[in-house]
Amino acid sequence: MSGAVRTRSIGEIDPGLLHQRLCERGLWLDYGCTTTRLQSDSRALAAQLRIVYAQFPFVDHGEWADTHVVVRRQRGLRRWIRPQVAFTCDFEVPFAPFPASSPLPMFEWGSNWLIGHRLTHLLLLHAGVVERNGLALVLPATPGSGKSTLTAALSLRGWRLLSDEFGAFCPIRRRFIALLKPVALKNDSIRIIKDFAPEAPIGPSFPKTRKGTVAHLAAASSAVQRRHEWVLPGAVVTPKWAPNQAASLQRLAPHVQFSLLAFNAFNYQDGGAANFDATAHLTRDVPGWQLVYSDLNDAVEQLDDLWRGLPASRQPRRQAGGADP
Amino acid sequence: MLVDGVLMAELGTQWAAYSPRSGQTLMLNLEAVSLLEVLQDQPLTLAQACRVLSHEVDVPVDQIEASVGTAWQQLRAAGLLESDSDRRAALPRT
């Protein structure tokens, strides 16, 4: 009898075995456009990963990883007095340690930092990205604007999550690819998403981090399975939460759209002319709006409506007004 | 004259430009765009470019110089424009 062997997901793995593998060879986490190898002796981290990476395949012997990370408990007196975990990459410890009870925020924060610095072949926009009907909705915004909350809400209403933080765009293919990690919800947004979708798979809350209380929303199984699919850009929408406002969309001026994308990106400067071209493409050929909203349900409805009308409205700007330079 | 490899993109009412010399991206105002457009066609000094622009829009040269002189300096500082001496200095020594 023959047949493909299904790789078990991390959520299906016994916590003791997961901890053991993390202590030994490590765990290979394939986010879509990049892979991280993680080793750790923290039982707390094993338990937390089992929740927020539940749908990711359990790979304890990968062929390649772009980054190699160790999250290890501090030794000496730190074993007993206010225990801590430290983040190590390439034998360097780039950050101050975190409390031993919070290894997941340390790993997420540190690995995001590494990705932002090292993934130079892609333009990494500071944006959430979700997909529906084969087109990517790009949500660039400055921190605190509700980008992750809206990205999380959309991912819980039928949109496929690619990332809540990194809009990974290939300047050559002119398509997005997932950089799929758990969505980092902060402070009020944790309660907002729990109210919005009580069944949402959210991990433990970590109070008193640098960004306040943080909790992570696990990616859905379908998002994990499709994380290697390239997606054409469909629209750019910059969200802005405002109190007591009915959700509304207003077209973005092209120069504002360009600035939002380029000057908030993690690595725009690193890509030189290729990233300039990519950003100009995402401005001239992809329509952009600002979404102002108070209520998440209204915002999701607005974006659902926008997407239904998108094929008609997604005309390159240069066709509507003026020639290319 | 325009630095080799400068890229420009029209973005509605404004333009963005990228300099491979400095690695900078700039959002350009009207004066800067009009200068770069003239210099895309031919290498000119500031005075020559102002004469071309003066002829195009029928405005006295000194007024044109007053409005684009600052833009010229900023474009040069950003690595979008260069003089002959800048170009010679940028060439690898043999």
Side-chain angles (χ1 to χ4, degrees):
Chain A
M1 191 170 140
S2 66
V5 177
R6 188 180 74 86
T7 305
R8 287 180 296 170
S9 66
I10 290 174
E12 292 172 321
I13 299 298
D14 175 76
L17 177 62
L18 183 58
H19 172 64
Q20 185 189 335
R21 290 294 188 268
L22 282 164
C23 288
E24 296 165 353
R25 289 191 298 258
L27 183 64
W28 274 253
L29 290 168
D30 174 355
Y31 301 125
C33 64
T34 187
T35 297
T36 291
R37 177 190 179 195
L38 168 64
Q39 292 174 289
S40 178
D41 61 355
S42 164
R43 281 190 186 277
L45 181 57
Q48 291 158 11
L49 290 170
R50 248 185 113 244
I51 300 169
V52 302
Y53 282 94
Q55 304 299 335
F56 279 71
F58 172 67
V59 179
D60 62 352
H61 198 86
E63 291 179 358
W64 171 263
D66 301 284
T67 48
H68 297 253
V69 166
V70 179
V71 175
R72 205 175 291 288
R73 290 178 299 156
Q74 296 279 72
R75 301 191 187 285
L77 282 178
R78 281 294 185 190
R79 281 200 185 95
W80 300 283
I81 302 170
R82 290 196 296 276
Q84 293 179 326
V85 284
F87 180 98
T88 308
C89 178
D90 299 335
F91 306 104
E92 289 189 14
V93 183
F95 313 112
F98 273 33
S101 58
S102 302
L104 182 65
M106 162 117 273
F107 169 62
E108 288 297 311
W109 184 55
S111 57
N112 282 353
W113 183 85
L114 281 174
I115 288 166
H117 279 79
R118 294 191 175 179
L119 219 66
T120 52
H121 67 293
L122 297 170
L123 170 61
L124 295 178
L125 304 171
H126 191 189
V129 184
V130 289
E131 177 266 346
R132 179 176 265 182
N133 301 337
L135 292 173
L137 167 59
V138 188
L139 301 155
T142 48
S145 56
K147 163 177 61 70
S148 289
T149 314
L150 183 57
T151 306
L154 290 164
S155 78
L156 292 162
R157 289 284 169 83
W159 294 71
R160 172 164 72 96
L161 177 68
L162 278 80
S163 178
D164 76 310
E165 184 76 2
F166 294 101
F169 185 73
C170 175
I172 297 166
R173 292 173 186 254
R174 296 199 164 183
R175 281 168 167 76
F176 283 93
I177 184 128
L179 207 165
L180 187 64
K181 304 188 83 198
V183 177
L185 302 168
K186 292 145 210 132
N187 303 314
D188 289 345
S189 69
I190 301 168
R191 178 190 50 77
I192 290 168
I193 290 298
K194 283 181 175 173
D195 289 346
F196 180 81
E199 75 290 356
I202 298 176
S205 289
F206 300 96
K208 296 180 183 172
T209 74
R210 287 164 56 128
K211 296 194 171 182
T213 300
V214 176
H216 301 84
L217 170 70
S221 170
S222 56
V224 175
Q225 285 166 18
R226 297 177 60 195
R227 67 197 184 285
H228 298 117
E229 292 180 17
W230 292 91
V231 189
L232 278 170
V236 172
V237 174
T238 182
K240 184 183 174 190
W241 186 89
N244 307 315
Q245 294 249 4
S248 65
L249 286 162
Q250 290 192 326
R251 282 304 286 261
L252 279 175
H255 67 278
V256 175
Q257 188 170 328
F258 183 95
S259 300
L260 259 172
L261 294 169
F263 304 134
N264 285 320
F266 290 96
N267 63 353
Y268 173 81
Q269 292 284 347
D270 299 337
N275 280 355
F276 177 86
D277 261 345
T279 312
H281 164 66
L282 287 170
T283 303
R284 288 191 305 228
D285 298 340
V286 181
W289 285 270
Q290 181 178 58
L291 170 68
V292 181
Y293 72 100
S294 301
D295 180 80
L296 261 187
N297 283 297
D298 286 352
V300 171
E301 207 170 294
Q302 279 277 331
L303 294 170
D304 286 344
D305 286 347
L306 174 69
W307 228 241
R308 277 189 282 275
L310 195 62
S313 62
R314 194 181 173 273
Q315 300 297 326
R317 281 201 176 95
R318 60 183 169 210
Q319 288 179 10
D324 243 4
Chain B
M1 65 188 79
L2 211 57
V3 169
D4 285 342
V6 164
L7 299 177
M8 292 200 282
E10 186 180 359
L11 307 169
T13 56
Q14 293 197 20
W15 290 61
Y18 168 79
S19 164
R21 175 76 51 84
S22 66
Q24 285 186 54
T25 296
L26 273 82
M27 304 302 287
L28 303 179
N29 61 17
L30 186 62
E31 289 84 359
V33 171
S34 54
L35 261 179
L36 291 182
E37 281 184 319
V38 166
L39 294 167
Q40 267 185 323
D41 299 334
Q42 52 193 323
L44 299 170
T45 63
L46 173 61
Q48 290 168 329
C50 288
R51 278 200 291 279
V52 172
L53 289 170
S54 164
H55 183 70
E56 275 183 8
V57 295
D58 200 21
V59 169
V61 174
D62 55 341
Q63 281 186 33
I64 294 283
E65 274 194 15
S67 69
V68 303
T70 306
W72 179 278
Q73 293 306 326
Q74 289 171 340
L75 292 171
R76 197 170 158 192
L80 292 161
L81 295 184
E82 64 184 354
S83 63
D84 275 340
S85 56
D86 293 336
R87 175 162 292 198
R88 278 195 296 274
L91 287 173
R93 293 181 183 200
T94 54

